[in-house]
Amino acid sequence: MPLLVTDHRRDILGFRYIYPVVSRRAGGVSVGINLNPNNACNWRCIYCQVPDLVRGNAPQLDLAVLEAELAAMLDDIVHGDFMQRNVPEDVRRLNDLALSGNGEPTSSRQFGDVVTVLGRQLAHFGLLGKIKLVLITNGSQLYKPMVQEALTRMREMNGEVWFKYDRAPQEGVSFVNQVALTPAQIKRHLILASTRCPTWLQTCMFAVDGEPPAETELGAWLGLLREAIDAGARPEGVLLYGLARPSTQPEAPRLTRLPETWMRDFAGRIEQMGLPVKLSL
């Protein structure tokens, strides 16, 4: 079955940890590394597509299985005909390895070991420095020295962080991400990420009960970002996107896509701050 931007199933190949997707934000094939096959995350974003999501951390990983699956996947892409069999012709490009999956990847105690495995396989297939190594994260574990050290090593592997920043102030974060997070924590974590590895903010915008985010929320979002930059954060830009796949959370019936004009208008406001925006509608 061809890969589609609307289908990011983690079990598409029957692997435990590795899954390929066509990423609209990446503009090509992304090989996902799922460190949370137990569907556990320390956040519960109301737009999350993970079925049977539970609160928790990543389980103990079998690193030998993870590495074997990744090697098989990369061998089929680099030396086989995976692209021809599975990928639409206009996106037959290997863009990245992405630490993403069904929960927060940095919640794994083996996160640093996983980065080592990925670097080894990238080097083995001649891909080190030629494709991106992406960490998709909510940033909540950036206070851990182990995670900070791994991000520093990722920088040397052509690494990039996609740091979730959906809402401000605290009330918006509490509703959209279902977590208690202060503006000070967001700023501190963004500084920690962006000073260790190139970091893009990833922001999902959508309507709730037919209403777009209020102007007070948007002003708070822009204001907190400005404060973080003034305090030393160095984001590369913003990955602004809307709903592409249905949420599996209880709030799903309340969520709808925003008009293109709204999304482009907000992108323009971000660009006025001097940050580039990659918009995915």
Side-chain angles (χ1 to χ4, degrees):
M1 181 180 296
L3 298 181
L4 305 170
V5 295
T6 54
D7 185 359
H8 284 195
R9 284 176 295 154
R10 314 304 194 220
D11 61 350
I12 195 164
L13 294 182
F15 288 162
R16 188 187 312 176
Y17 301 112
I18 305 301
Y19 62 99
V21 299
V22 173
S23 170
R24 60 189 176 133
R25 281 175 285 173
V29 173
S30 176
V31 175
I33 294 91
N34 181 16
L35 304 189
N36 304 75
N38 59 347
N39 294 351
C41 189
N42 59 345
W43 289 21
R44 188 188 72 77
C45 301
I46 62 174
Y47 57 85
C48 183
Q49 299 100 21
V50 174
D52 304 316
L53 185 71
V54 296
R55 294 275 190 171
N57 296 319
Q60 182 71 18
L61 307 173
D62 188 328
L63 294 179
V65 170
L66 188 154
E67 187 160 11
E69 290 181 354
L70 179 59
M73 181 80 265
L74 292 179
D75 185 66
D76 198 8
I77 292 174
V78 175
H79 302 304
D81 61 351
F82 176 84
M83 294 291 193
Q84 290 73 23
R85 297 196 321 266
N86 300 285
V87 181
E89 187 173 358
D90 59 336
V91 285
R92 286 177 184 168
R93 180 179 73 92
L94 178 58
N95 186 78
D96 58 62
L97 302 187
L99 286 150
S100 178
N102 290 7
E104 174 50 41
T106 61
S107 70
S108 171
R109 295 181 179 180
Q110 299 160 279
F111 181 72
D113 295 330
V114 171
V115 170
T116 298
V117 166
L118 302 189
R120 183 162 56 235
Q121 288 302 315
L122 285 169
H124 176 76
F125 285 95
L127 297 170
L128 190 61
K130 295 181 180 179
I131 65 172
K132 289 287 186 182
L133 173 56
V134 178
L135 167 64
I136 301 176
T137 178
N138 59 33
S140 62
Q141 307 298 300
L142 263 296
Y143 67 91
K144 296 179 178 178
M146 176 268 290
V147 176
Q148 297 173 27
E149 186 273 336
L151 262 58
T152 299
R153 287 193 287 125
M154 281 183 59
R155 175 192 287 273
E156 300 168 357
M157 301 177 190
N158 197 27
E160 189 171 275
V161 176
W162 292 4
F163 183 104
K164 185 183 295 293
Y165 176 48
D166 290 325
R167 296 293 186 276
Q170 284 179 251
E171 294 78 11
V173 177
S174 297
F175 175 65
V176 170
N177 306 121
Q178 295 288 301
V179 66
L181 198 63
T182 67
Q185 288 174 307
I186 294 173
K187 288 188 287 187
R188 182 167 65 250
H189 293 162
L190 180 55
I191 291 169
L192 286 169
S194 63
T195 54
R196 283 161 177 78
C197 192
T199 298
W200 286 78
L201 299 173
Q202 54 163 349
T203 299
C204 186
M205 287 291 176
F206 47 85
V208 179
D209 299 328
E211 296 295 326
E215 180 57 35
T216 53
E217 287 185 280
L218 301 182
W221 189 98
L222 294 165
L224 182 56
L225 178 54
R226 171 52 62 193
E227 290 177 18
I229 292 171
D230 290 344
R234 300 200 298 265
E236 302 290 314
V238 178
L239 305 172
L240 178 62
Y241 63 106
L243 298 177
R245 300 178 301 281
S247 167
T248 62
Q249 305 309 306
E251 296 85 356
R254 303 176 61 190
L255 311 184
T256 52
R257 293 167 60 88
L258 288 163
E260 180 178 346
T261 52
W262 190 100
M263 297 288 286
R264 293 195 181 281
D265 179 71
F266 187 54
R269 295 175 67 176
I270 299 170
E271 290 170 337
Q272 289 175 5
M273 298 178 63
L275 290 174
V277 176
K278 297 180 181 180
L279 178 60
S280 300
L281 298 170

